[in-house]
Amino acid sequence: MKDLKLAGLKSERSSIDINGVTLGGKEVILIGGPCAVESSIQMSQAAETVRKAGGKILRGGVFKPRTSPYSFQGLGREGLNYLVQAASEQGLLCVTEVIDAPSLEVVIDEIDIIQIGARNMQNFELLKLAGKIKKPVILKRGLSATIEEWLLAAEYILSAGNPNVILCERGIRTYEPSTRNTLDLSAVGVAKELSHLPVIVDPSHAAGRRDLISSLSKAAIASGADGLLIEMHPNPAEAVSDGPQSLHPEEFAQLAGELGIVANAVNRTFACGRVNEGETLETLRSQIDEIDQTIIERLAARMQIVSKVADQKRLDRVKDSTREKEVLQRLTNLGEELKLPSELVKKIYPIIFEVAVQSQIKQKMKREADIDLSLVSPLGSK
Amino acid sequence: MKDLKLAGLKSERSSIDINGVTLGGKEVILIGGPCAVESSIQMSQAAETVRKAGGKILRGGVFKPRTSPYSFQGLGREGLNYLVQAASEQGLLCVTEVIDAPSLEVVIDEIDIIQIGARNMQNFELLKLAGKIKKPVILKRGLSATIEEWLLAAEYILSAGNPNVILCERGIRTYEPSTRNTLDLSAVGVAKELSHLPVIVDPSHAAGRRDLISSLSKAAIASGADGLLIEMHPNPAEAVSDGPQSLHPEEFAQLAGELGIVANAVNRTFACGRVNEGETLETLRSQIDEIDQTIIERLAARMQIVSKVADQKRLDRVKDSTREKEVLQRLTNLGEELKLPSELVKKIYPIIFEVAVQSQIKQKMKREADIDLSLVSPLGSK
Amino acid sequence: MKDLKLAGLKSERSSIDINGVTLGGKEVILIGGPCAVESSIQMSQAAETVRKAGGKILRGGVFKPRTSPYSFQGLGREGLNYLVQAASEQGLLCVTEVIDAPSLEVVIDEIDIIQIGARNMQNFELLKLAGKIKKPVILKRGLSATIEEWLLAAEYILSAGNPNVILCERGIRTYEPSTRNTLDLSAVGVAKELSHLPVIVDPSHAAGRRDLISSLSKAAIASGADGLLIEMHPNPAEAVSDGPQSLHPEEFAQLAGELGIVANAVNRTFACGRVNEGETLETLRSQIDEIDQTIIERLAARMQIVSKVADQKRLDRVKDSTREKEVLQRLTNLGEELKLPSELVKKIYPIIFEVAVQSQIKQKMKREADIDLSLVSPLGSK
Amino acid sequence: MKDLKLAGLKSERSSIDINGVTLGGKEVILIGGPCAVESSIQMSQAAETVRKAGGKILRGGVFKPRTSPYSFQGLGREGLNYLVQAASEQGLLCVTEVIDAPSLEVVIDEIDIIQIGARNMQNFELLKLAGKIKKPVILKRGLSATIEEWLLAAEYILSAGNPNVILCERGIRTYEPSTRNTLDLSAVGVAKELSHLPVIVDPSHAAGRRDLISSLSKAAIASGADGLLIEMHPNPAEAVSDGPQSLHPEEFAQLAGELGIVANAVNRTFACGRVNEGETLETLRSQIDEIDQTIIERLAARMQIVSKVADQKRLDRVKDSTREKEVLQRLTNLGEELKLPSELVKKIYPIIFEVAVQSQIKQKMKREADIDLSLVSPLGSK
């Protein structure tokens, strides 16, 4: 793909910083909000839900490209005000779709990120316009675009002068009828292999149904996505568009609460938001329980690996003080970054080290005893 | 889908036990091995790699359905012996594909699981035969089968008397050329919503290229898959078929080492195998480092949630001894299940509790002091 | 496609003779009948309709591969008798689908042609069996098979020893919902370019709806297809399967009546059958009217081309007696082949020649007169 | 599809008249020309080829939507001049693609028809603009648009005030690699069933290869298309875009020469253009030979139907003078419309009538004689 002159540059950085929110960094970025901006109150509620869930960016369409000319076409400038106001109140960034030169003109000074929708992925004149602005652009993959065509669409924006393109996989058109489109998570890996651009995933438009959003969101993060774009509506049953695929606020909050651990599992981070006033003691405690379970499982896995290490070392060398000090220092530093009281790391890690060593010594002695016993056994042992 | 009389039963159990290996339980099951059985030595090496990586089932084709009549068609009965022997030596189960009545006859007494390939998903006569045996059947989704058709194919097997069907998503045919097929991870959720059958994922045939297997495997687990079917070959460069999509043994081992934490993140388990003799001290230590990082991150997340809990309680009630005892007991039990020395949990959790409480008290006092100060300030504070 | 060793041979003949019916010759072959054989009376009626419409082969499924195990699976041997009996009564050949070794065994001695269905296109064991018989095989393209895979499936049959394979395009799976599948008429040209095998088209399974069969059948012939496989049922409303896509007998007869002229338009032939007892004088006359219209249109087109010829010749050479004799002889011979009374050709063609010549002479004289007049005109002419 | 308020009106006329060229009438309209306008000489040559072949409209892109930003983007206003000039010289209409408001502005006063390309089919802002102009619009189907979405895109133009929309099927995206896209000829019938709009077919973009254009063009006409949009280039090997799918001028001329008879076969007309100066006597004579063959075949078919008519009437009523007069009058009128010398019809049809009657009488007498003979035969006859 020789024409990916800019999108294909491997040396360039691949993270985009937008007023302190970094797309393409270690943190997985959550973008949420309704398909269409409908009212001031709707957007306020949506923004609050997004912020509390740990989302960083509020979405909402004000210029809607709709399949039928008789469907709701968006609130335009009025909707833009609702979106910007709601995002600002909650300290969120905001993103909205543009569909032509006039709509771009309307939003450009108000919005943090512009979106180019799937149906406009090969509207090359719009891509060129998006290349002349300074704001970052989320470029959705076309309904039946190959990954190469998608990257070449990004190249239009890049080559026109705007280096800040975020790719968004949103499902492709296939024969399968049980979902609106087929989410192509291979696209995350392929796009990242061919380009240096951040890639986010929109599971909502892909699935077209609420019940799959949670599993697809986790899968997207596990596949390496840099962020998620999820439709959520304060009252999906009354949404003017895409209601069936929009999460309820509490579903959105719950999903967000489950993403952090998946992000960690692939060396990424995601921090769920501050306490939801509606969060009960029970919810919080069950979150703690889940974390505790992970800690114990990880400790057990750690102990198993330590046991393998021990297999490779002489008994008298199972304890390795230099490494222990080094590890302790590193973890203390990490803990501080994460606002963990430093005494906690300093108190429990020596215990973890010690228990591990004792456990190894016991096992070794037991094995050797078994061997000795077998040697002295009159019949030997099998 | 009224015809899913058996596949659609929601009351029925959805886990299948095969000589101690449970498909559809909490544990994610790893199946690995080459596309085609080629030699005794190839299978021995493959089996060892699978077992060490924590895999439970060895795969290998001996009757190969090939697009061209001039391609290698499999070693047949001779290959079967290599497969069964290699699996047996390593304490693994084994699975192979059958393509008609005679091939089923050949393998049925030797093999633990039979596989029906994508191209035969609607070979209804073969499905009926598979319904008359007692062994479990992995049923791959057809190249362009809808999920409904796939479940109806399973219904053929179930209605003929064999309740042990394991569904396998392996990618569907789309227009996208950068992968061999498009892995449809929505299918995991949809199939599980419509049926009670276990669902595993084969990322190898979907991607058709080695470099995407790791991210797609993790995504598959995150999406809720009950297992993975991954092609691995001792020497992919010389594989008679599917070399480009087969992992090298060391890639397979590395991937397996990274799956456990992803499984945990979605409340599943996967235990990577015992030490690989080739594993260096460095590899093991880097695994430990990764686990330690997770533990610290989880401890930090825990502390944040505790802080939210504290917000909801009176200062004098931050410490809740009853709950602490209960938690400690539960975690000790879990630790024991996982062979974690019980003293470790008993020693570190009280510290975690204590540091958390102290930290909350300090913060509360600080906040109150701030408020007091603001009250006495001559000008007040913003 | 190096593996098309036999299918790709360009020197080999590409027509298959089956008891006097030639597939792949100048004549377009019509195959008709119901999806499933249901009763003796149904098949008798179907066979009569097929024969009267000019069809040469009766189809009817007796072993039905069905998506659901609870759908009608075919009458088996009993149905076979109905099919064979009905075909024999009307002097038709017959074709039915086989799905495995036992069903092939049942039909092989009774049937003229066997069919391998789309879902079994890559059931390679069945293909090999079909390669060991002597009867011709209609091989349907798989639901999502590439043309290359389809030809390689044919290669399985050819390489196993049976040279008589007829390819059948029947629509491929796409995202478009308004038809059951998407008929790919490019496949006719591509398959004929890559192989020497006859290619027929099944518009019924492609469309899945009766109202498109007529236009797709004509398109198929125009694209170069060697035959049509069309579902027709004496009473579609009560068909056990595929009712909505089956033509009513009168629709089938009407379509057949319109195919001949399309076949002629691409240098092929199709002769509609003998008078339908139900045919009214009105129907017959409207057929005559249609033919007359074509004759006049063709005569007008002929006159225009003659006029171009005249432009290239000197006036005194407009009449070319040698060619006229030659043409007359050729057309008389052709007329005899087609049972046209020879006097008709001998009487009307001299008139056609004469009128053409006179017409040319008049035009030339008129043009020259115009030129002369313009020369003598005092003002000249525009 | 309730939203097809205007596109779905069945009462409305479905033909669009553009300066004397009627799209959606009895005549099939041929549109030809290169993908991109490259030079004045290229367009002159193309226009001449189109006109001579009987084409009515010249195409040529001056604003090119290209997948890569580094591909040739069109000559713009300069190219427009070449296109308009070349069309005007040959008395052709012209069509070019617009991609946004400014390009529409440039071409609107110069061009007869505007085209909206596949990639812009859901560029709703462009559709609305196209709805505000008076000139007809060719609306190509999107690469993966359903027929419903395509008609709703047309509805955007109609509902904005422009009733003159011509739909153009140009192939859809599927998995099949041997053609660029898959031509969906079912779409012609479906679009005509759901709407009253004319439907044309572009086989060039569908096939992406020159060798299939002829068979697909004929198939398109047979399927009921109102016109063809075919890429042709004076020198395809040097075309800046789409060379491999562009016909050579002589291929275009030859194809055009074969379309008339196909059009006639489905009750449409297409008149190939005047003599090509390059046309040899041999070519013209072979065209005449082809027409003569059709005439004879049709005469033979006529005789067969007359024979059926005779079966239904008493011998003494085989001749029906009233009908003969009526037929003769009608055909004479038709002949005059088609510029056929009226004496020709008046001379040959009485012969056709007479020979038919004599032939019937002879056959009847022969049959009756056979019966009589059989009655007197001492042994009877079978």
Side-chain angles (χ1 to χ4, degrees), chain A residues 3 66 68 70 119 155-156, chain D residues 3 66 68 122 155-156:
Chain A
D3 275 359
R66 299 301 296 276
S68 165
Y70 308 116
R119 284 167 185 75
E155 188 77 18
Y156 264 94
Chain D
D3 276 359
R66 299 301 297 276
S68 164
Q122 289 195 321
E155 189 76 18
Y156 264 94

Side-chain angles (χ1 to χ4, degrees), chain B residues 303-319:
Chain B
M303 208 59 79
Q304 283 188 325
I305 302 175
V306 169
S307 152
K308 295 181 193 176
V309 172
D311 285 351
Q312 302 200 345
K313 297 201 295 190
R314 296 223 325 277
L315 189 59
D316 57 358
R317 292 196 50 225
V318 164
K319 188 162 173 68

Side-chain angles (χ1 to χ4, degrees), chain D residues 45-199:
Chain D
Q45 292 173 346
E48 192 181 359
T49 302
V50 169
R51 194 254 312 152
K52 284 186 181 162
K56 296 288 166 60
I57 306 173
L58 180 67
R59 63 152 287 157
V62 300
F63 298 104
K64 302 296 304 171
R66 299 301 297 276
T67 300
S68 164
Y70 308 117
S71 300
F72 175 63
Q73 308 268 322
L75 290 184
R77 199 181 293 265
E78 181 192 355
L80 180 67
N81 293 341
Y82 300 155
L83 169 66
V84 170
Q85 176 71 19
S88 157
E89 278 168 13
Q90 301 288 341
L92 300 171
L93 302 182
C94 61
V95 57
T96 202
E97 180 169 357
V98 295
I99 53 181
D100 56 2
S103 62
L104 179 57
E105 183 104 359
V106 168
V107 309
I108 188 65
D109 291 334
E110 309 289 333
I111 216 85
D112 301 295
I113 306 168
I114 69 159
Q115 177 181 308
I116 292 182
R119 284 167 185 74
N120 278 318
M121 193 204 83
Q122 289 195 321
N123 181 341
F124 301 113
E125 303 314 305
L126 185 57
L127 297 176
K128 288 174 195 166
L129 289 174
K132 287 180 192 130
I133 63 172
K134 301 270 177 252
K135 303 252 167 117
V137 178
I138 290 179
L139 177 65
K140 289 203 158 186
R141 182 177 180 188
L143 268 80
S144 67
T146 64
I147 295 170
E148 181 179 359
E149 290 168 344
W150 185 27
L151 294 176
L152 285 166
E155 189 76 18
Y156 264 94
I157 302 173
L158 299 171
S159 67
N162 186 345
N164 296 316
V165 176
I166 299 142
L167 300 167
C168 180
E169 159 65 28
R170 46 78 72 213
I172 58 173
R173 193 156 256 184
T174 72
Y175 66 85
E176 171 59 46
S178 70
T179 46
R180 184 162 158 181
N181 293 283
T182 296
L183 187 65
D184 178 12
L185 287 180
S186 312
V188 176
V190 174
K192 282 178 167 278
E193 198 266 323
L194 293 175
S195 89
H196 59 85
L197 302 170
V199 182

Side-chain angles (χ1 to χ4, degrees), chain B residues 1 4-5 13 78 85 95 97 115 148 159-160 173 193 208 224 228 233 248 253 301 306 311 370 374-375 382:
Chain B
M1 286 186 227
L4 297 180
K5 297 182 189 177
R13 83 193 150 76
E78 180 192 356
Q85 176 70 18
V95 57
E97 181 169 356
Q115 177 181 309
E148 181 179 0
S159 67
R173 192 156 257 185
E193 197 266 323
L228 292 171
H233 191 285
H248 292 269
V306 169
D311 285 351
D370 289 352
S374 76
L375 290 175
K382 197 182 76 127

Side-chain angles (χ1 to χ4, degrees), chain A residues 171-285:
Chain A
I172 58 173
R173 191 155 257 183
T174 71
Y175 67 85
E176 172 60 45
S178 71
T179 46
R180 184 164 159 179
N181 292 285
T182 297
L183 189 64
D184 177 12
L185 287 180
S186 312
V188 176
V190 174
K192 282 178 168 281
E193 198 264 324
L194 292 174
S195 88
H196 59 86
L197 302 169
V199 183
I200 66 173
V201 170
D202 169 359
S204 305
H205 283 87
R209 44 190 274 190
R210 185 180 299 132
D211 63 336
L212 299 175
I213 305 306
S214 173
S215 69
L216 290 179
S217 295
K218 292 171 187 172
I221 292 178
S223 78
D226 295 307
L228 293 170
L229 178 58
I230 297 179
E231 288 199 345
M232 176 269 301
H233 191 284
N235 186 356
E238 300 195 0
V240 297
S241 64
D242 285 352
Q245 74 197 35
S246 296
L247 294 185
H248 292 269
E250 54 274 29
E251 292 169 331
F252 188 81
Q254 187 185 338
L255 171 57
E258 295 167 5
L259 293 181
I261 189 167
V262 179
N264 291 342
V266 289
N267 276 319
R268 306 293 287 265
T269 60
F270 174 76
C272 189
R274 279 201 333 101
V275 64
N276 187 324
E277 284 89 83
E279 271 181 349
T280 61
L281 201 54
E282 282 66 40
T283 321
L284 294 171
R285 284 187 162 167

